[in-house]
Amino acid sequence: RKEVEQDPGPFNVPEGATVAFNCTYSNSASQSFFWYRQDCRKEPKLLMSVYSSGNEDGRFTAQLNRASQYISLLIRDSKLSDSATYLCVVRSYNTDKLIFGTGTRLQVFP
Amino acid sequence: GAGVSQTPSNKVTEKGKYVELRCDPISGHTALYWYRQSLGQGPEFLIYFQGTGAADDSGLPNDRFFAVRPEGSVSTLKIQRTERGDSAVYLCASSLDSNSGNTIYFGEGSWLTVV
């Protein structure tokens, strides 16, 4: 079983739609959680960190459920420019490496 | 530029050849990471340096892969006797230090094709 699991998609949604991505992680010692965005043939870039209390950044909302070892990302009012792959990432407290999921591909159409 | 710089950006090599990929981290960043990403997959951890030493090399797939960071800045990933399965994009990243609160920044990657 992979340490971080995501539905690879693709998710095809119209502009203005709300879309949610989910991610599960297997290592209960995981301490830090992130969503990264990766455009085609580009490097991953940090979208947002995920905090236990949940956090919002504009149209993006991230949630963490430690008991279920589950992370989510909600995108409201989707834009064409949101089309990308969204990578779920975890980091354990006893190691400094980031563990990535396979990514979920989002395609927003007009 | 001020970002993580990787060279070459593209490399085509023949099976069995030796390859070196270079990473120049953001100035002042002591932590440096190497990842490998294959098509349709997320980045896969290879090795991480804190300063000059390899703090965790558990992701190196076999002894054909080796990485160094002799002066605590530039790092080189070395692949011996390349195989077609080594074809991937090799991503380097750096952060201020290994503190979990620090953002990790990626370079644009070195795209390796083994023919």
Side-chain angles (χ1 to χ4, degrees):
Chain A
R1 184 188 171 193
K2 289 187 176 179
E3 195 164 341
V4 180
E5 298 216 49
Q6 295 181 250
D7 180 345
F11 284 58
N12 296 305
V13 303
E15 271 187 293
T18 296
V19 61
F21 305 137
N22 303 319
C23 165
T24 58
Y25 60 95
S26 60
N27 187 347
S28 59
S30 297
Q31 183 186 43
S32 305
F33 309 89
F34 311 91
W35 285 100
Y36 272 69
R37 172 189 167 132
Q38 187 171 29
D39 292 291
C40 188
R41 296 186 69 84
K42 295 289 189 181
E43 73 276 23
K45 291 183 180 176
L46 178 66
L47 177 67
M48 59 196 300
S49 300
V50 186
Y51 303 116
S52 297
S53 55
N55 49 299
E56 191 173 303
D57 182 1
R59 297 181 293 108
F60 299 82
T61 301
Q63 299 264 343
L64 167 64
N65 184 322
R66 284 188 184 270
S68 302
Q69 296 181 196
Y70 171 98
I71 305 161
S72 67
L73 177 67
L74 183 80
I75 305 175
R76 290 183 299 279
D77 187 23
S78 298
K79 312 291 185 191
L80 295 176
S81 58
D82 294 334
S83 299
T85 296
Y86 290 84
L87 296 157
C88 177
V89 187
V90 307
R91 188 182 207 170
S92 299
Y93 88 97
N94 58 350
T95 177
D96 296 301
K97 62 192 182 193
L98 298 181
I99 305 297
F100 287 79
T102 56
T104 298
R105 198 154 68 86
L106 172 66
Q107 184 67 50
V108 181
F109 57 89
Chain B
V4 178
S5 176
Q6 292 188 245
T7 55
S9 54
N10 285 282
K11 175 74 177 177
V12 180
T13 192
E14 291 181 347
K15 179 174 176 293
K17 298 289 189 185
Y18 170 80
V19 165
E20 286 192 355
L21 307 175
R22 175 190 165 108
C23 173
D24 200 343
I26 293 172
S27 178
H29 281 195
T30 62
L32 185 147
Y33 308 79
W34 282 101
Y35 283 80
R36 174 170 73 173
Q37 187 173 23
S38 301
L39 195 63
Q41 300 296 314
E44 172 194 15
F45 171 78
L46 296 177
I47 185 170
Y48 140 66
F49 290 88
Q50 180 57 47
T52 59
D56 184 346
D57 64 357
S58 62
L60 294 177
N62 52 59
D63 62 6
R64 295 187 298 106
F65 288 75
F66 189 70
V68 295
R69 194 185 186 199
E71 296 176 1
S73 179
V74 171
S75 176
T76 305
L77 179 65
K78 307 180 181 197
I79 311 173
Q80 298 178 318
R81 304 184 304 280
T82 50
E83 300 177 357
R84 292 197 179 88
D86 298 335
S87 297
V89 57
Y90 289 80
L91 293 162
C92 178
S94 72
S95 67
L96 198 57
D97 59 34
S98 60
N99 186 304
S100 64
N102 289 316
T103 300
I104 292 180
Y105 298 90
F106 282 85
E108 294 188 345
S110 290
W111 292 73
L112 176 66
T113 303
V114 182
V115 297

